[in-house]
Amino acid sequence: MLVLNCSMKLQMLEKMLRWSFPESLKVYGAVMNINRGNPFRKEVVVDSWPDFKAVITRPQKENEVDDLDHYTNAHAVFYKELQAYQELLENTNAINWAQIFQIQGLQDGICEISRTVALSKQIDVKTSSFQMVIHSDPDMLPDVRLQMDPKLTLTYLDISHASLLSKTWSRGGNPRSQKYLANLICCFPSVCVLDDNGYPLSWSLTDQFATMIHGYTLPEHRRKGYSRLVATTLAKKLHSFGFPAQGNVLETNIPSIALLKSMNAQFLPCSFFRVIHTPFHFLAKSHL
């Protein structure tokens, strides 16, 4: 196991990951953020270098972490050989199995290996899957010219909006999610529509893996074109920074799927998987 902390090697890795799209997209986005200031204090672990067969991005070991915060304790994974990934995952120096953490990636074997390894470590595993989409060409994004009420503003999210975002996020509604979203707002691009009182009506933000997440419009303000405006603006913003405009959506979320199709989004053949690992002794905690 090796920790890549050389800037030249990390730049090389970023280029190498492009050869393995779309499966490497989650790790690629994380590595891009590391190479551009590392706002979420991540690091890269590989099984070998330069001919790596598995790579994991993880929180930096030296940073103080909350063992119950699976939002921040997030890892992105890409492998060329499944066995190499399993061996890396089993390495206690690669993953902190004493905390609640999540793994994200675009390969079926991620769920399989998590279940296999967790079984011997008294770890509960919960998996979820989504359709993965990407806006591959900014010129293909529709030109959105919405005649908004002059009292409304298209702008960035503010840290003061984190509470509302947490309450409306399917994975939120708790202090840790609110803190995590506040950090995303501070560190990464976001777009929102504000009313004249500075209250968000519609928004989308970017996470630590350069993925567009939590696209949401308040129910009373839907069917006005705000979601399209916000999503298109954020996608173009990410492209202007050199990032892939990637996102994910539940197969049952028909309105969002229709919106993405109308934006010429490309639905990828691989699914996005999120695997949350919880040590058994944390399961009974009321605050989880």
Side-chain angles (χ1 to χ4, degrees):
M1 186 200 86
L2 299 171
V3 178
L4 291 189
N5 48 27
C6 168
S7 59
M8 289 184 62
K9 291 179 180 179
L10 289 168
Q11 292 288 346
M12 286 177 59
L13 177 62
E14 181 180 321
K15 294 177 181 178
M16 294 162 73
L17 289 169
R18 294 177 192 165
W19 305 340
S20 299
F21 281 0
E23 288 83 359
S24 64
L25 269 169
K26 285 288 178 179
V27 171
Y28 178 74
V31 172
M32 285 191 74
N33 276 321
I34 291 171
N35 288 335
R36 288 155 181 77
N38 201 10
F40 242 69
R41 295 179 292 180
K42 297 287 184 178
E43 63 186 11
V44 175
V45 175
V46 292
D47 64 315
S48 60
W49 183 262
D51 299 320
F52 69 90
K53 300 179 182 66
V55 55
I56 297 174
T57 65
R58 68 182 187 187
Q60 290 176 341
K61 285 273 187 159
E62 60 269 24
N63 290 323
E64 184 177 344
V65 296
D66 177 355
D67 286 336
L68 303 180
D69 181 9
H70 75 268
Y71 304 99
T72 303
N73 301 334
H75 305 64
V77 167
F78 169 68
Y79 61 82
K80 297 177 182 177
E81 293 185 8
L82 191 59
Q83 182 61 34
Y85 169 56
Q86 179 169 341
E87 292 173 358
L88 190 57
L89 193 65
E90 289 173 332
N91 189 328
T92 55
N93 290 321
I95 296 288
N96 181 2
W97 288 90
Q99 64 180 197
I100 304 177
F101 67 94
Q102 64 170 290
I103 288 177
Q104 297 188 13
L106 304 178
Q107 294 166 288
D108 293 347
I110 290 171
C111 299
E112 169 194 338
I113 296 303
S114 280
R115 293 190 187 100
T116 299
V117 177
L119 188 63
S120 64
K121 295 180 178 290
Q122 295 190 311
I123 303 291
D124 178 74
V125 170
K126 285 186 171 57
T127 64
S128 51
S129 63
F130 306 79
Q131 290 191 64
M132 188 73 183
V133 299
I134 187 168
H135 301 282
S136 56
D137 185 351
D139 293 332
M140 292 295 291
L141 288 166
D143 185 17
V144 179
R145 296 181 180 177
L146 180 65
Q147 295 297 319
M148 287 199 310
D149 185 319
K151 294 181 180 179
L152 303 182
T153 306
L154 183 67
T155 184
Y156 304 101
L157 288 163
D158 183 84
I159 192 171
S160 63
H161 303 142
S163 176
L164 173 64
L165 267 64
S166 179
K167 292 175 183 175
T168 54
W169 192 25
S170 60
R171 298 174 54 216
N174 61 77
R176 290 186 177 87
S177 68
Q178 182 172 329
K179 179 181 177 181
Y180 174 68
L181 290 168
N183 287 337
L184 293 185
I185 291 170
C186 291
C187 295
F188 303 114
S190 64
V191 176
C192 67
V193 173
L194 300 181
D195 66 13
D196 55 345
N197 293 315
Y199 193 80
L201 309 180
S202 180
W203 60 83
S204 183
L205 62 161
T206 312
D207 74 2
Q208 55 193 306
F209 305 117
T211 304
M212 297 168 61
I213 69 163
H214 194 18
Y216 189 86
T217 300
L218 295 177
E220 62 270 28
H221 294 282
R222 292 173 184 170
R223 300 186 180 278
K224 298 178 182 179
Y226 299 158
S227 291
R228 181 190 301 273
L229 176 63
V230 166
T232 301
T233 303
L234 182 56
K236 290 184 176 181
K237 185 180 296 293
L238 288 172
H239 274 298
S240 72
F241 294 153
F243 286 89
Q246 55 176 313
N248 50 72
V249 60
L250 284 169
E251 293 182 359
T252 55
N253 192 341
I254 305 303
S256 292
I257 290 174
L259 171 65
L260 289 164
K261 287 181 176 178
S262 73
M263 293 173 61
N264 301 318
Q266 177 187 356
F267 284 75
L268 302 180
C270 51
S271 296
F272 160 57
F273 298 99
R274 179 188 296 115
V275 188
I276 297 179
H277 305 70
T278 306
F280 286 167
H281 64 273
F282 284 138
L283 289 176
K285 300 286 187 180
S286 60
H287 49 262
L288 296 179

